[in-house]
Amino acid sequence: MKKSFFDTVSKVSILCMLSTLNIGIVNGYAKPSLEKNGDIEGMNLVPGEGSTWNNKGDAVVGYGGKGDLKVENGETISSETAYLGSDKGSDDIAVVSGEGSTWNISKDTYVGYKGSGTLLIENGGAVSSETAYLGYHEDSIGSALVSGEGSTWNNKGNAVVGQKGGALLLIENGGAVSDINGYLGAEKGSTGLAVVSGEGSTWNNKGNAVVGQKGKGILQVENGGAVSSANGLYLANAKGSIGTINIGGEASGSARNAGSLKTPSIFFGNGEGNLVFNHTTSDYLLSSDLKSTGSGTHEIRNISGSTRLTGSVSGFTGRTNVEGGSLTIAGRDVLGGSVDISGGASLDFAPTAAAV
């Protein structure tokens, strides 16, 4: 069976880095102040519930080399700005693991600033920051995995997955990420991928979500994971951008159980915008209005599964391809743009009672 996008790209890339995990040196601009029952050995915080490291300046893991930081067993670290992969050639990782283990960052977090950085939040660990950047500069690589029930990454500002570099955000097994606005592929030349997988896994955008702002963005929602964007979701916003939403699996892979996407509207912009349904769900509902607001190429693809669109779709002017399974227009209006139906697939118009 062909491996999925998540298996071959996302999971492997993050786990390969984690397989070589070794607690090393943590360099901070400000001298750490240790309280309660903690201790420092070679600038490493020794595990212990209630141990705290209060850094009044920036926290730079590695600072030009290879640095590893592990926060576990109820430890707490606080700092202003945090950097993982601060310089070219650096390859840094930070792990926040276990209930009560926290990293409080009062300003911004950079995971992959100029080099490679990885942040793992697991087993109830928690990180808070202002704005989070993954893959900040060109050629940088930023990866973050938020895994397990109670594991959280709360951002008071935005979450930018792929500012100018390449970035990966994985939320699985009940992990949760929140922010004001979420961006995948912010600047030209960037690539941002987010996968939200598993029941209880959530990515909550209190403002907007943008999949492909000026670069390439991919959002995959599968296996009961949930993504919400309170004001709307923008797909392939600028000319030259590429934005893809996969409900279930990616177009070239196997169908997967769908996740949920909750947003009032999906806006197709001036780039290449793709909404892909490749799932195994028997009656998947998407209530968002679909609107072509830009001059780009816009496409809806139903590859597998039974999908019902209950929002307004008359404002969509792109192409709809029903390649497999069934697609039902269950709102009050007709589908705009052109339609292509492959053999064995079906397109139906069946307004629900609530829509009539």
Side-chain angles (χ1 to χ4, degrees):
M1 183 177 67
K2 184 175 180 180
K3 290 186 177 180
S4 73
F5 183 84
F6 181 77
D7 292 329
T8 57
V9 178
S10 308
K11 194 80 170 181
V12 169
S13 62
I14 201 91
L15 292 181
C16 283
M17 286 183 266
L18 297 181
S19 66
T20 58
L21 179 62
N22 179 33
I23 300 175
I25 297 174
V26 180
N27 295 314
Y29 288 133
K31 183 179 179 180
S33 171
L34 197 66
E35 301 174 351
K36 295 186 179 178
N37 61 331
D39 197 3
I40 292 178
E41 293 181 357
M43 294 297 289
N44 296 311
L45 192 62
V46 172
E49 184 177 357
S51 301
T52 63
W53 176 19
N54 296 320
N55 190 353
K56 296 180 180 180
D58 297 339
V60 184
V61 179
Y63 197 48
K66 180 175 176 58
D68 305 313
L69 166 66
K70 195 168 187 179
V71 184
E72 60 181 0
N73 299 327
E75 300 164 353
T76 297
I77 286 181
S78 62
S79 63
E80 290 191 352
T81 307
Y83 295 88
L84 299 169
S86 59
D87 289 332
K88 288 185 177 181
S90 59
D91 185 7
D92 308 326
I93 186 169
V95 179
V96 183
S97 180
E99 185 177 354
S101 301
T102 59
W103 189 359
N104 298 316
I105 303 162
S106 61
K107 294 184 179 179
D108 296 340
T109 300
Y110 297 90
V111 181
Y113 184 66
K114 293 182 179 179
S116 296
T118 300
L119 174 63
L120 171 60
I121 308 168
E122 63 175 7
N123 300 326
V127 174
S128 62
S129 57
E130 188 64 33
T131 292
Y133 295 97
L134 281 70
Y136 187 74
H137 284 289
E138 293 181 5
D139 300 322
S140 64
I141 299 174
S143 301
L145 172 62
V146 184
S147 179
E149 185 177 354
S151 301
T152 61
W153 190 4
N154 296 319
N155 298 287
K156 296 178 182 178
N158 300 330
V160 184
V161 182
Q163 172 70 11
K164 293 183 179 180
L168 169 66
L169 172 63
L170 305 182
I171 308 169
E172 65 173 14
N173 299 328
V177 174
S178 64
D179 51 66
I180 301 300
N181 301 307
Y183 296 88
L184 300 175
E187 297 295 334
K188 186 176 181 180
S190 64
T191 299
L193 163 67
V195 179
V196 185
S197 180
E199 294 289 343
S201 303
T202 61
W203 185 14
N204 178 24
N205 301 281
K206 300 173 185 177
N208 300 316
V210 183
V211 181
Q213 169 72 8
K214 296 180 181 179
K216 181 178 181 179
I218 302 171
L219 172 62
Q220 184 154 317
V221 193
E222 60 176 37
N223 295 327
V227 174
S228 61
S229 181
N231 294 340
L233 190 152
Y234 293 81
L235 192 59
N237 210 32
K239 185 177 181 180
S241 65
I242 301 174
T244 301
I245 300 171
N246 296 322
I247 304 296
E250 75 282 5
S252 61
S254 301
R256 301 177 69 89
N257 188 32
S260 68
L261 178 60
K262 184 178 181 181
T263 187
S265 300
I266 299 176
F267 302 97
F268 293 75
N270 294 309
E272 179 187 326
N274 306 288
L275 176 57
V276 177
F277 299 96
N278 189 16
H279 58 82
T280 58
T281 307
S282 60
D283 189 17
Y284 180 80
L285 300 178
L286 180 67
S287 61
S288 307
D289 295 340
L290 306 181
K291 301 178 181 180
S292 294
T293 56
S295 59
T297 58
H298 310 152
E299 186 174 37
I300 300 170
R301 298 178 66 182
N302 200 91
I303 298 171
S304 178
S306 174
T307 304
R308 294 169 61 87
L309 303 179
T310 61
S312 174
V313 293
S314 60
F316 178 79
T317 60
R319 187 169 186 82
T320 299
N321 288 310
V322 188
E323 304 167 38
S326 65
L327 179 65
T328 300
I329 308 303
R332 290 176 294 178
D333 51 11
V334 297
L335 178 64
S338 60
V339 177
D340 184 32
I341 306 172
S342 301
S346 66
L347 175 64
D348 301 308
F349 295 87
T352 62
V356 174

